[in-house]
Amino acid sequence: MDTAPFRDATETYRDAVEADVPALVALVESAYRGDASRAGWTTEADILGGQRTDPDGVREVIATPGSRLVAVERDGELVACCQLERRGDAAYFGMFAVRPGLQGGGLGRRVLAEAERMASEQWGAREMHMTVISVRDELIAWYERRGYRRTGRMTPFPYGDERFGVPRRDDLRFELLVKELG
């Protein structure tokens, strides 16, 4: 796999390394949890408290064979990230975060498109898979506008495992979204 940094018109994409862990944890937390996340539209603060990830979880993604955590920088600053994991003919997309103050400006669309390109060209993935909390209607609609389809395949939310957050409601579960890659 080619792991050299890739630069588009405004961002640089590279594989994350151990030294990035603190900044990656802070980025993911800021995009989803607490009051800081409310500056963007991807917040989960109303449905989940606690953490979204931790240093061990980020390290695991970086170190797992067939997995990569893509760090996205603009002018040397971390502005987004995403996880790609090879799963046979498909790739899994996760740990997607965009700095809250930059959400809504097209950065997330560019990161998603680059992740799809990487999975297709570097791994030969024919589909991209992801799981989204099923009550996140606005987020699911955003993915649908980018070609993802709801499958109706649900998996339970890991209630009682605070590594995934502290639920504020009792109807959470994950839905698999899939997109065919060209």
Side-chain angles (χ1 to χ4, degrees):
M1 171 188 313
D2 179 16
T3 60
F6 169 79
R7 181 165 178 81
D8 76 2
T10 55
E11 291 89 32
T12 301
Y13 297 78
R14 64 174 175 79
D15 286 338
V17 296
E18 172 68 29
D20 296 317
V21 169
L24 288 163
V25 171
L27 172 65
V28 172
E29 292 298 308
S30 74
Y32 292 97
R33 298 290 198 274
D35 288 336
S37 70
R38 295 181 194 281
W41 68 273
T42 61
T43 184
E44 295 173 343
D46 293 330
I47 61 171
L48 290 163
Q51 71 179 29
R52 172 74 188 260
T53 192
D54 59 26
D56 290 339
V58 172
R59 282 187 195 97
E60 183 177 336
V61 172
I62 292 171
T64 299
S67 176
R68 63 193 298 193
L69 187 51
V70 179
V72 183
E73 296 177 327
R74 183 184 291 163
D75 299 323
E77 280 190 58
L78 183 67
V79 294
C81 68
C82 68
Q83 169 193 7
L84 288 173
E85 183 179 311
R86 193 174 195 170
R87 295 185 178 176
D89 288 343
Y92 177 79
F93 179 81
M95 207 177 284
F96 185 29
V98 172
R99 185 182 294 173
L102 298 176
Q103 292 176 16
L107 175 58
R109 279 191 301 274
R110 291 193 300 277
V111 172
L112 180 60
E114 177 59 14
E116 292 167 354
R117 186 198 67 77
M118 287 179 192
S120 177
E121 291 181 9
Q122 296 174 8
W123 290 340
R126 297 189 317 202
E127 290 183 336
M128 185 75 88
H129 293 188
M130 71 176 72
T131 55
V132 178
I133 296 174
S134 64
V135 299
R136 300 285 322 274
D137 295 328
E138 185 178 9
L139 183 59
I140 291 170
W142 187 86
Y143 285 117
E144 287 178 316
R145 289 192 299 274
R146 274 135 203 93
Y148 287 81
R149 65 178 170 75
R150 299 182 83 156
T151 64
R153 293 190 347 221
M154 303 288 180
T155 54
F157 185 86
Y159 285 92
D161 187 345
E162 292 190 7
R163 292 177 302 160
F164 296 92
V166 178
R168 300 187 193 282
R169 45 193 293 177
D170 62 4
D171 62 344
L172 302 181
R173 53 194 181 153
F174 294 105
E175 182 171 2
L176 176 68
L177 304 183
V178 174
K179 178 179 180 177
E180 290 186 24
L181 301 176

